[in-house]
């Protein structure tokens, strides 16, 4: 158990809909990261938050947005969903300061868009 | 941005033999190179990492080597066991001195199959 909690584990929805994925980082971790994993693209970095502020942005679509709340949990919002958005979405967290670079991944939220 | 290439995509080895997975990166500013193992139905888990001021690092049956000049790094697993079967990802990033970690750029993964 990595200590990172993601909900829901599975989600099935229709094209055009909007969903919210939730992540609770490990206790004490200030950074939260979102990754999208699909069969043909591997693990794609979407966005990183550090202590509530956006820190880095990757290949995140404009239809997607995220935020990190004062209690450090994070939400990834996916809107106007398309079939191609079907994927496994991972949240990871890391210690905000210090020398270790390890990311701790949750077990993912599997999104299926029909 | 950073681009990480990983080979092979699938690797099948006999139990007890060694396995080698290779990665190349494009951004010369990258200074941190972790390897993650992902078992079926789980999230990736760090197994070993190396920083750019080190050329090799070992942890029991696992070792990683880094060639900064050529911008490539490799994972070596010796005496492979059935539980080594998984998908392995290499990654690269730049560490920030002010805290936190840059988003990792991952390779596309190698499915390692250990044949009994």
């Amino acid at each position: 158990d990595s200590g990172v909690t993601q909900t829901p584990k599975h989600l099935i929805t229709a094209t055009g809909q909007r969903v919210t994925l939730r992540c609770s980082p490990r206790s004490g971790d200030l950074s939260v990261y979102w990754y999208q994993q699909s069969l043909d693209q591997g693990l794609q970095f979407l966005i990183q938050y550090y202590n509530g502020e956006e820190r880095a942005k990757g290949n995140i679509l404009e239809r997607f947005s995220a935020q990190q709340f004062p209690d450090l949990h994070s939400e990834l919002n996916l809107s106007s969903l398309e079939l191609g958005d079907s994927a496994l979405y991972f949240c990871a967290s890391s210690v905000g300061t210090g020398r270790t670079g390890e990311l701790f991944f949750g077990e993912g939220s599997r999104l299926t868009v029909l | 941005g950073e681009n990480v290439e990983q080979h092979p995509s699938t690797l099948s080895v006999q139990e007890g033999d060694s396995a080698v997975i290779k990665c190349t990166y494009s951004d010369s500013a990258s200074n941190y190179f972790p390897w993650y193992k992902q078992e079926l139905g789980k999230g990736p888990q760090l197994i070993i990492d190396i920083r750019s001021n080190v050329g090799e690092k070992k942890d029991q049956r696992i070792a990683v080597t880094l060639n900064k000049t050529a911008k490539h790094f490799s994972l070596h697993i010796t005496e492979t066991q059935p539980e080594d079967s998984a998908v392995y990802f290499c990654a690269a990033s730049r560490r920030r001195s002010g805290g936190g970690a840059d988003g990792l750029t991952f390779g596309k993964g190698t499915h390692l199959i250990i044949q009994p």
Side-chain angles (χ1 to χ4, degrees):
Chain A
D1 182 4
S2 68
V4 177
T5 303
Q6 289 188 247
T7 57
K9 290 195 185 310
H10 301 277
L11 191 55
I12 301 174
T13 189
T15 55
Q17 295 298 305
R18 172 190 169 94
V19 299
T20 297
L21 308 180
R22 194 179 192 277
C23 170
S24 294
R26 289 191 327 154
S27 176
D29 283 359
L30 298 179
S31 279
V32 169
Y33 311 76
W34 286 97
Y35 284 85
Q36 179 191 58
Q37 185 175 40
S38 56
L39 281 174
D40 58 341
Q41 292 296 319
L43 276 164
Q44 294 284 313
F45 169 61
L46 297 179
I47 197 163
Q48 175 199 356
Y49 281 83
Y50 174 65
N51 203 21
E53 300 288 327
E54 183 183 304
R55 181 84 171 183
K57 217 171 199 178
N59 302 319
I60 188 166
L61 299 172
E62 285 191 11
R63 299 183 286 109
F64 296 179
S65 65
Q67 55 184 326
Q68 185 180 28
F69 294 87
D71 66 353
L72 301 177
H73 91 270
S74 178
E75 292 182 356
L76 178 67
N77 299 296
L78 314 174
S79 61
S80 302
L81 285 168
E82 302 175 358
L83 296 177
D85 298 327
S86 295
L88 198 51
Y89 291 85
F90 283 106
C91 169
S93 70
S94 71
V95 174
T97 57
R99 300 168 64 186
T100 178
E102 183 171 3
L103 297 190
F104 295 87
F105 283 81
E107 295 197 341
S109 292
R110 182 170 295 282
L111 173 66
T112 302
V113 182
L114 300 176
Chain B
E2 176 65 275
N3 182 47
V4 177
E5 300 281 340
Q6 182 172 348
H7 300 280
S9 57
T10 304
L11 178 61
S12 181
V13 301
Q14 289 293 125
E15 183 179 348
D17 288 350
S18 295
V20 180
I21 302 170
K22 298 182 179 182
C23 290
T24 60
Y25 62 98
S26 61
D27 187 352
S28 57
S30 288
N31 57 12
Y32 176 64
F33 308 92
W35 286 86
Y36 282 78
K37 176 184 181 181
Q38 186 177 19
E39 295 175 338
L40 197 61
K42 296 188 176 181
Q45 184 175 14
L46 180 72
I47 54 171
I48 195 167
D49 58 13
I50 192 168
R51 287 172 171 76
S52 58
N53 58 348
V54 175
E56 182 174 359
K57 184 176 178 180
K58 269 188 173 181
D59 182 4
Q60 299 182 339
R61 296 186 297 109
I62 294 173
V64 58
T65 59
L66 171 65
N67 182 328
K68 282 172 54 181
T69 304
K71 288 193 267 187
H72 68 69
F73 55 114
S74 301
L75 177 71
H76 304 252
I77 305 174
T78 58
E79 300 171 17
T80 53
Q81 300 169 4
E83 53 265 36
D84 295 330
S85 293
V87 179
Y88 291 80
F89 292 94
C90 63
S93 79
R94 287 184 296 175
R95 303 247 59 80
R96 289 176 182 262
S97 58
D102 280 355
L104 291 169
T105 300
F106 284 87
K108 292 197 174 182
T110 295
H111 186 192
L112 178 61
I113 302 165
I114 308 301
Q115 303 278 7

